Amino acid sequence: GLGNGDVVVRSANGAVARLAGGWTYLAAANITAVVPSSGQEGTRVTIYGERLRGGGGAVAQVALAGRNATVVSENDTVVVAAAAAGPATQTLGSVVLTADSGAQTVLSGGFTYLAPSSISLVTPSTGRANATVVVAGSLCGGGQRVVAAELVGIAAEIVSGASSCSSLTVRAGDLGTNATGDVVLTADTGAVTRGVGLFSYIAEGQVTQVLPAAAQAGSPALITIRGERLLGGGSGLQSVTFGNVTALVATSSETEVQVSLQGNGVGTVDVVLRGNTGVTVRGLGAFTFSRVVAVSPSSGQGGARVQISGTALLGDSSTVNRVLLSGVAAQVTSSSSTLVEVVAAASAVSSVQPVGDVVIELANGQEVRASSSWTYLAAPAITSVQPAVGQAGTLVTVFGSHLLGYGALPLQNATLNGVVAAAVQSANDSVVVLVAAAAASG
């Protein structure tokens, strides 16, 4: 029954193990309402009830009519989920909440997937910024009105028809490039109606080339953008951005613009030029920021093998000229746009040095830099050997500093006058004890 009680385990031979008060049965969870109780992909569904977590710590999964939804928020009395894509026809099914403990709460027949909404016509199907576009079809997906519209991923202004759910008039935003993509409408319930490839932007201008197409800010000092009608019919540029990074305009014309990046971004981004008339010209995915993501290991001594990983490490498809670790040239063993491997050069430092930069210098003059990413450690040194003479079986103690090379691994080997020791009896960073092997005769 409900409440607290013992946990008892009985084996086949009659042995009994008991934990007094080890388990509590809770009252069953209960779903009291589902709002709305019907919808389609994207619909935000609020589930009300009692003990919805089923004694667990959280509601981990929500299924609506057999389709796993995205949990937006949850507590013991209210769960909000976004419906996944549903079946092609109207379907009634259960609402199932699964807690992180595995406990389930079920409301049979609690949600109906509606037949998906659809876009039957977009007219005109091509246009520029501020073009008036009419979208027709079954548009609300169970909701009462359309609250947002996108054409090829760019927000469009809703002009009229938001509540008709059958015909919507929007004003196109400014993509700034020739591109074809989806028409996407979002209803007040969150339901999404998508028309794949139904609209094409015709741009005022066009970006045809960015040189270099990958770089870090400052290397090179100026980046060149080439194309047609880059000023969008205006006399100058209001702004140039690379993703969310601002670029300072050095020179500009309808066919070529030179800029300097004012910072670094991440990944591949659009290059967007906005003319002083407000017209946008966009180069989709036209630039990639060169970036070192990791240096492993980040410290070492001469001979250490170092991996430098990142994006666009070769800049604009160049080759590596050299790599500097804290100002010291390393031996490059392999290179690609995502991974450069080097061997640290021998360093004559007698103590740990301040942290320095990792710099990949490319043959075209570009640099890819990771600030404060490498530390040269002092090279190992032997200060004395006791005894300094012996024969096979002699225990030889080697004193010094950093004898294990800052690593946790055991010694690879040790030699005495060119002969590999028979055994390493013990080793730490300052003392190594060896057993001498027999020397070669002659």
Side-chain angles (χ1 to χ4, degrees):
L2 299 179
N4 180 262
D6 298 351
V7 176
V8 181
V9 177
R10 293 182 176 86
S11 68
N13 64 6
V16 176
R18 181 185 300 272
L19 176 62
W23 174 258
T24 300
Y25 265 110
L26 302 175
N30 181 35
I31 296 174
T32 57
V34 178
V35 180
S37 59
S38 63
Q40 63 167 49
E41 179 182 2
T43 298
R44 294 244 172 164
V45 180
T46 303
I47 303 161
Y48 300 93
E50 302 169 316
R51 298 174 295 281
L52 298 180
R53 290 175 171 172
V59 175
Q61 187 180 83
V62 175
L64 302 173
R67 306 293 176 104
N68 287 336
T70 300
V71 178
V72 177
S73 63
E74 59 79 34
N75 59 42
D76 221 23
T77 58
V78 181
V79 175
V80 179
T89 58
Q90 183 167 312
T91 303
L92 174 68
S94 299
V95 175
V96 181
L97 308 184
T98 304
D100 53 4
S101 63
Q104 287 193 329
T105 306
V106 180
L107 177 63
S108 298
F111 186 79
T112 300
Y113 262 110
L114 302 175
S117 55
S118 62
I119 296 172
S120 58
L121 180 67
V122 176
T123 182
S125 60
T126 62
R128 291 185 169 88
N130 297 315
T132 299
V133 180
V134 177
V135 183
S138 170
L139 307 180
C140 290
Q144 299 299 311
R145 57 183 296 148
V146 176
V147 296
E150 288 185 358
L151 302 177
V152 197
I154 298 296
E157 177 190 355
I158 296 175
V159 177
S160 63
S163 299
S164 81
C165 293
S166 61
S167 181
L168 179 74
T169 302
V170 301
R171 183 173 291 112
D174 193 358
L175 177 62
T177 190
N178 297 323
T180 298
D182 298 351
V183 176
V184 181
L185 309 179
T186 304
D188 52 357
T189 59
V192 174
T193 305
R194 184 184 301 272
V196 177
L198 294 185
F199 188 79
S200 297
Y201 269 105
I202 303 171
E204 294 288 347
Q206 183 180 9
V207 173
T208 58
Q209 189 177 37
V210 178
L211 292 174
Q216 273 189 340
S219 182
L222 293 178
I223 293 175
T224 301
I225 305 166
R226 292 175 180 159
E228 302 169 2
R229 302 180 301 282
L230 295 178
L231 305 184
S235 59
L237 290 170
Q238 189 180 101
S239 66
V240 177
T241 56
F242 286 59
N244 60 2
V245 175
T246 299
L248 183 65
V249 178
T251 65
S252 64
S253 72
E254 288 282 17
T255 57
E256 184 172 291
V257 174
Q258 288 190 312
V259 299
S260 59
L261 289 171
Q262 300 303 292
N264 283 306
V266 177
T268 298
V269 298
D270 294 354
V271 176
V272 180
L273 300 88
R274 187 175 297 277
N276 56 13
T277 59
V279 174
T280 295
V281 177
R282 183 185 301 264
L284 290 174
F287 185 81
T288 301
F289 282 99
S290 296
R291 177 171 175 253
V292 173
V293 175
V295 178
S296 179
S298 59
S299 63
Q301 55 192 4
R305 295 185 177 273
V306 183
Q307 291 187 327
I308 305 164
S309 58
T311 56
L313 296 179
L314 303 184
D316 197 15
S317 300
S318 185
T319 56
V320 176
N321 188 29
R322 67 173 182 168
V323 174
L324 302 177
L325 302 178
S326 291
V328 180
Q331 178 191 352
V332 179
T333 57
S334 68
S335 63
S336 72
S337 62
T338 58
L339 180 66
V340 175
E341 296 182 305
V342 301
V343 177
S347 175
V349 299
S350 58
S351 60
V352 176
Q353 299 297 293
V355 64
D357 296 351
V358 172
V359 182
I360 303 172
E361 295 183 349
L362 303 175
N364 65 0
Q366 286 183 256
E367 287 185 356
V368 180
R369 180 182 298 266
S371 299
S372 302
S373 295
W374 173 261
T375 301
Y376 255 116
L377 303 176
I382 295 174
T383 56
S384 64
V385 178
Q386 296 179 5
V389 296
Q391 57 184 12
T394 300
L395 288 179
V396 182
T397 302
V398 181
F399 298 94
S401 58
H402 316 303
L403 298 179
L404 300 184
Y406 302 90
L409 298 176
L411 287 180
Q412 184 177 15
N413 62 55
T415 62
L416 299 170
N417 195 20
V419 178
V420 176
V424 177
Q425 192 172 78
S426 64
N428 61 40
D429 221 28
S430 57
V431 180
V432 174
V433 179
L434 308 173
V435 178
S441 60

